[in-house]
Amino acid sequence: MLGKAYESQVCSIARALEVIGERWSLLIVRDALFVGATRYSDFQRRLGIATNVLKVRLDSFVETGIMRRHKYSEHPDLYEYLLTDKGRALAPALIALTEWGDRWAADGEPPILYTHSVCGAGITAQTVCVHCGRVDDPSQVKAVIGPGMPPGRITGRL
């Protein structure tokens, strides 16, 4: 979780980082989404994450509604962690981060490609204007005050 300084931020990015901004969070969600990991041991083995850190992250995901715990064994009590709709909705963000990493942080060709399971074609993240269609130039994207901005916080700038 982020420090108290972010409480002053009226921004959905800051709010999202409070939930998924810890360094292991998106890797756990990635493995749940695209590899099918559900069990504590799956995540621990694949990621090599410290067990105490993994427990905190999974508990946090359950608490925030990104995952739900499901008991799959009675003797001993064993649980799996299943993504909820809220958790699965992170897929486009992970695909966008992957594309950014492929372009700006990786050496050579992309190590992972996302494809549509129905037809096999590639999946990409896109910025789309509801009127004009795809927007490729980020300088054409402008942030404006939205309806969720508290009235006392509106300063004319973001």
Side-chain angles (χ1 to χ4, degrees):
M1 292 297 184
L2 297 173
K4 300 283 185 202
Y6 284 86
E7 290 176 353
S8 66
Q9 296 289 314
V10 182
C11 168
S12 294
I13 293 173
R15 290 177 187 155
L17 287 173
E18 286 291 337
V19 178
I20 54 140
E22 191 271 336
R23 69 180 286 168
W24 290 104
S25 295
L26 292 178
L27 298 177
I28 293 167
V29 173
R30 175 204 63 191
D31 283 4
L33 274 167
F34 302 120
V35 180
T38 61
R39 296 179 179 178
Y40 185 94
S41 59
D42 296 338
F43 296 112
Q44 208 289 315
R45 184 179 55 256
R46 286 188 50 80
L47 298 171
I49 183 174
T51 56
N52 62 323
V53 173
L54 179 57
K55 180 184 181 330
V56 169
R57 295 314 314 141
L58 291 173
D59 288 348
S60 173
F61 286 162
V62 170
E63 181 181 323
T64 58
I66 289 174
M67 290 181 158
R68 65 180 178 84
R69 267 177 74 171
H70 174 260
K71 186 185 283 190
Y72 69 89
S73 174
E74 294 281 336
H75 302 289
D77 286 348
L78 296 173
Y79 296 88
E80 59 185 349
Y81 295 85
L82 306 172
L83 288 169
T84 62
D85 289 343
K86 184 177 181 178
R88 286 187 295 276
L90 288 165
L94 291 176
I95 293 167
L97 279 171
T98 300
E99 288 180 4
W100 185 90
D102 288 345
R103 181 170 180 191
W104 298 104
D107 296 327
E109 296 295 315
I112 302 291
L113 298 173
Y114 297 108
T115 60
H116 187 211
S117 64
V118 174
C119 72
I123 297 288
T124 64
Q126 298 182 19
T127 304
V128 179
C129 169
V130 297
H131 181 261
C132 303
R134 185 174 171 145
V135 177
D136 291 319
D137 182 355
S139 71
Q140 294 177 350
V141 177
K142 179 180 171 185
V144 298
I145 302 297
M149 179 66 72
R153 295 295 302 264
I154 298 175
T155 61
R157 307 176 304 166
L158 292 182

